[in-house]
Amino acid sequence: MSTPHCRRVACALTTAAALTLTAGCGLGENRDEPQPADRTASTAPAPKGAVTRDEAKALLAAYLAANNRANATQGTSKSPSSQARKLLATVEGGQLLEQSIADYTTWHTQTVKEQKEYTRPFYYVHPAVYAPAGEHWFAIQATVDRTGWTALIIFDQVEGKGWRNVATVALGSKKSDRLPSPIATDSAGLATAVNPTTRSGRLAPNQVADAFTDFFATGGTGAGQALSRSASTDQALKVYKDRNKGPDSRAATKRFEPGDARHQQIYALKLRDGSTLAVVPSAHDQFYELKKEYILRAKIIPNEEEAVFNPAKRIAVIDEFQGMLLAHLPTSGKPTILSHEYRMVDSQ
């Protein structure tokens, strides 16, 4: 992956260390012998997170080492590197891997400056670990040392292959942005996961993606009305408003439709003020189509990035964008999209 916000797109990282660790330790068992009358009663085990803080930090360090090496390997090639892709797949998964693969696939379309920036090693500093009690995943909040962006990083077990970084999202649209409220933890230091179907304010986490993609599809006149305005919604709205500007608009039109995220898992945490912070997968498709009167006498020439997937001239170009959102859902009122990140992963 690139560091947060290095290559945000809204429409238009020796061998890898094995990411396998044992589950985190919980509180010690109560070894007091129960009284005879209580022998049928059972004591519930103390809740614990998927990993300890030290284990989480070790996973983060292993991820960074492998990710930086994969990026460096890709940087030595002008075309997609299967070696870099295989290495990255040992430490990344989910929507994040989809985006990283897209970066590698379209590598030659990046400028020399962009490629140089992408392959520069980066590290996370001041990591704070948030492992929800009883869950199979955990989050880390950390700052990228060379850029100053603060990110929320999600690790999860992927298809029995071990731990993978499945999502990395910036806390906001500016380097100085912070979460609306700190992530809540209990006396044992464990975070609290929120069910994706649990409503907080106007929406539940599993309704956020549809609301955001509505800004691409309708300008926010449908489901998007449930969201408050933010830098992310403003950018999506601009894409919608500018969709048919330019000299080619006389012959072709552009529209957007909600798509299906390739990986559906939502990760949500409770904040200290009772609100919810959610990392949500998101996808949309961009349709660029000739008007009926031009179909028999014109073709659309795909741009350089689209041509990587399909170089043929055609009457319609359909681009698939896969991404992630970081959303804040207050206890009342409209949710806010704190940041968004998309990559074109296919074009036909």
Side-chain angles (χ1 to χ4, degrees), residues 82 117 192 237 246 257 326:
S82 60
E117 179 66 19
T192 299
L237 181 59
E257 291 186 2
L326 180 64

Side-chain angles (χ1 to χ4, degrees), residues 54-326:
D54 287 344
E55 289 170 340
K57 291 178 181 179
L59 285 168
L60 181 63
Y63 165 72
L64 284 167
N67 181 69
N68 281 327
R69 188 180 175 197
N71 288 344
T73 300
Q74 177 58 61
T76 63
S77 175
K78 293 183 179 180
S79 60
S81 168
S82 60
Q83 182 181 357
R85 177 172 174 170
K86 289 178 181 178
L87 176 56
L88 195 62
T90 66
V91 292
E92 280 190 7
Q95 290 290 93
L96 182 61
L97 182 59
E98 298 288 348
Q99 294 179 312
S100 295
I101 289 175
D103 289 339
Y104 287 0
T105 302
T106 59
W107 186 253
H108 78 269
T109 69
Q110 301 179 34
T111 65
V112 172
K113 181 179 180 181
E114 288 173 336
Q115 291 177 351
K116 185 177 180 179
E117 179 66 19
Y118 198 104
T119 57
R120 281 181 59 197
F122 72 98
Y123 305 93
Y124 288 115
V125 295
H126 311 304
V129 178
Y130 298 98
E135 296 294 324
H136 55 77
W137 59 274
F138 66 92
I140 297 179
Q141 183 178 322
T143 301
V144 183
D145 65 334
R146 65 177 172 81
T147 67
W149 286 99
T150 300
L152 188 70
I153 308 154
I154 305 294
F155 280 85
D156 198 353
Q157 300 272 7
V158 176
E159 298 175 353
K161 298 178 181 179
W163 289 105
R164 299 291 188 272
N165 179 356
V166 296
T168 298
V169 288
L171 297 192
S173 60
K174 300 177 181 178
K175 292 182 181 180
S176 59
D177 285 340
R178 299 181 180 181
L179 294 178
S181 177
I183 296 172
T185 56
D186 61 17
S187 59
L190 297 175
T192 299
V194 177
N195 190 304
T197 64
T198 299
R199 183 185 294 267
S200 182
R202 292 280 295 271
L203 297 174
N206 67 346
Q207 298 174 306
V208 167
D210 286 344
F212 183 64
T213 54
D214 182 62
F215 278 86
F216 292 115
T218 74
T221 60
Q225 295 183 74
L227 294 176
S228 64
R229 293 291 292 272
S230 67
S232 288
T233 57
D234 286 347
Q235 289 180 26
L237 181 59
K238 185 177 188 305
V239 170
Y240 172 78
K241 289 181 176 179
D242 293 346
R243 68 194 186 283
N244 289 321
K245 291 183 179 180
D248 293 334
S249 60
R250 64 183 181 86
T253 60
K254 187 180 294 183
R255 61 184 174 86
F256 304 91
E257 291 186 2
D260 293 324
R262 295 187 179 184
H263 305 272
Q264 298 285 327
Q265 182 68 44
I266 295 173
Y267 302 92
L269 291 168
K270 183 178 181 180
L271 302 186
R272 287 184 191 172
D273 63 359
S275 60
T276 296
L277 182 71
V279 177
V280 181
S282 178
H284 61 267
D285 297 323
Q286 173 182 282
F287 294 79
Y288 192 41
E289 304 163 307
L290 287 174
K291 295 179 179 179
K292 290 182 178 180
E293 59 268 33
Y294 287 91
I295 288 179
L296 297 180
R297 53 194 178 100
K299 290 288 190 295
I300 296 174
I301 302 174
N303 63 31
E304 187 179 17
E305 190 174 0
E306 292 167 332
V308 170
F309 301 98
N310 183 356
K313 299 176 183 179
R314 45 203 190 268
I315 62 173
V317 175
I318 305 173
D319 300 332
E320 178 188 352
F321 290 86
Q322 292 285 330
M324 295 173 286
L325 313 172
L326 180 64

